[in-house]
Amino acid sequence: MPIAKVHRISAGAPDDVSGVEAAIAAGTIDPAGIIAIFGKTEGNGCVNDFSRGFAVRALADMLRGHVGAAAQDVCLVMSGGTEGGMAPHWLVLERGEDGEGMTSGPALAIGRAHTAPLPPEHLGRMGQVEQVAEAVQRAMADAGITRPEDVHFVQVKCPLLTAARVAEAQGRGASVATGDTLKSMGLSRGASALGIGLALGEIGLEQLSDAVIGTDLSLWSGRASCSSGIELMGHEVVVLGMSEGWSGPLGIAHAVMKDAIDIAPVAGALASLGVTLPSATQDEADSLIVLAKAEASRSGTIRGRRHIMLDDSDISSTRHARGFVAGALAGLVGHTEIYVSGGAEHQGPDGGGPVAVIATR
């Protein structure tokens, strides 16, 4: 019976894979069992954030040294931007086999899927929605999860448009959803999130069209986390949920923050796994894995008070939101190695976002 393991490892730089290498050398991680690696890197998280590609290259080179060509199957999902006190780190998701006779599930289950490269003209449109929805279903099957309600978080790494990609599509006579490369990041995240919602039954196909992507914020998934980057043109999809077919001590729960300071639902998700804060021990708090989405509310307010995240022409609002939400969550769980991804189009309500917590039950 499979068993899920999640290792959180500090990173000194986008190419610092020494902690992962040390864990492999110590036998803590079996490289053949690595399903995915999520990373928070200290770039700007925008179109030109090459810290993500730098990290992918370093991780891929390391993995090839251990598992050869199988390294290309590992989903490498890098989220740029560690604003505020958020600490750069890796989350290594591993699938092993339970050789210790542990009680059967339900327990944390992990599945993955890759897609073919997305034609630039499909980005931010229904072609992307449908491609992601199909990949989510394949990742669920890979995890052995049959019921959508057992899925608690879906992490997607999706592409963005560059000037060269726009020109390539237009050279073939195709039109793109936008020629603004920064705006393409939001459209890609939004279309991917709607694909997740479609796959999980949160949103009906009849509700979707090109026109609603990025505009109808009443359509959202409570379990979607999408991060766009320049380093790929396909999608890497990782499903996290609970399954009777998996064993081990880890469990996952999710919540939806209604706004950037709404941490009570996150505490509730932790409580459902048997973790009560602040009475948890320091070791228990240190071991908690937190994955979250964050964005600046389009209303320009948080509970009636004005914020300036959308008015700052020097710093992208996604950077403000990441640092702000990471701080709120760090105050709850007691550490700063929190995976907060900015830009939550169709990922939770406006100004809020989905959160998943993984803990030893």
Side-chain angles (χ1 to χ4, degrees):
M1 181 176 287
I3 179 172
K5 304 175 185 180
V6 182
H7 314 269
R8 195 179 74 239
I9 298 173
S10 301
D15 66 335
D16 177 22
V17 298
S18 60
V20 183
E21 286 276 31
I24 291 173
T28 306
I29 296 175
D30 177 2
I34 296 175
I35 297 291
I37 300 176
F38 297 170
K40 281 303 305 182
T41 64
E42 57 262 48
N44 61 22
C46 296
V47 175
N48 64 337
D49 182 354
F50 294 102
S51 73
R52 295 180 303 236
F54 191 25
V56 166
R57 176 62 181 270
L59 290 165
D61 287 348
M62 177 203 68
L63 289 169
R64 278 193 293 270
H66 291 284
V67 299
Q72 66 185 358
D73 297 328
V74 178
C75 290
L76 300 176
V77 181
M78 302 299 111
S79 174
T82 54
E83 295 79 11
M86 195 179 353
H89 64 282
W90 314 115
L91 293 175
V92 182
L93 281 62
E94 179 188 353
R95 173 178 176 151
E97 289 299 322
D98 179 8
E100 301 177 4
M102 288 187 176
T103 305
S104 61
L108 176 64
I110 308 169
R112 68 183 174 196
H114 300 265
T115 75
L118 182 75
E121 59 268 28
H122 288 178
L123 186 142
R125 292 172 170 162
M126 285 300 297
Q128 185 172 22
V129 172
E130 292 164 355
Q131 187 180 60
V132 170
E134 187 274 336
V136 171
Q137 293 173 339
R138 285 193 285 116
M140 287 175 61
D142 185 54
I145 298 174
T146 57
R147 302 190 311 167
E149 57 265 37
D150 292 332
V151 174
H152 289 276
F153 207 66
V154 181
Q155 179 64 57
V156 171
K157 187 66 187 183
C158 52
L160 54 80
L161 294 179
T162 63
R165 291 168 182 173
V166 170
E168 185 275 328
Q170 292 175 337
R172 293 186 282 102
S175 67
V176 294
T178 180
D180 184 325
T181 58
L182 183 60
K183 185 177 180 180
S184 79
M185 298 184 76
L187 287 174
S188 184
R189 290 189 298 256
S192 297
L194 292 172
I196 294 169
L198 178 61
L200 299 182
E202 297 170 291
I203 303 168
L205 182 60
E206 71 283 355
Q207 297 175 276
L208 298 175
S209 67
D210 290 351
V212 307
I213 299 172
T215 59
D216 186 350
L217 299 184
S218 69
L219 300 173
W220 51 268
S221 168
R223 290 168 281 176
S225 174
C226 306
S227 177
S228 52
I230 198 171
E231 62 271 21
L232 78 175
M233 272 308 291
H235 301 81
E236 303 201 341
V237 179
V238 181
V239 163
L240 303 174
M242 297 290 284
S243 172
E244 293 283 354
W246 289 62
S247 66
L250 293 181
I252 185 171
H254 76 277
V256 177
M257 296 174 69
K258 68 181 180 183
D259 59 35
I261 55 176
D262 185 28
I263 61 173
V266 184
L270 286 166
S272 74
L273 297 175
V275 179
T276 304
L277 298 170
S279 60
T281 68
Q282 189 61 53
D283 284 346
E284 287 173 331
D286 284 344
S287 68
L288 296 177
I289 305 296
V290 183
L291 305 124
K293 288 299 300 185
E295 72 168 5
S297 62
R298 299 191 187 190
S299 68
T301 63
I302 299 173
R303 301 193 187 182
R305 273 91 174 175
R306 187 170 68 95
H307 70 72
I308 55 83
M309 291 185 276
L310 299 174
D311 299 323
D312 188 341
S313 58
D314 294 321
I315 302 173
S316 168
S317 64
T318 58
R319 307 192 71 186
H320 281 286
R322 276 193 297 266
F324 188 81
V325 170
L329 293 173
L332 174 67
V333 302
H335 69 77
T336 59
E337 285 185 337
I338 296 174
Y339 187 98
V340 181
S341 172
E345 302 85 355
H346 301 295
Q347 299 154 76
D350 181 38
V355 181
V357 291
I358 298 173
T360 299
R361 294 166 294 169

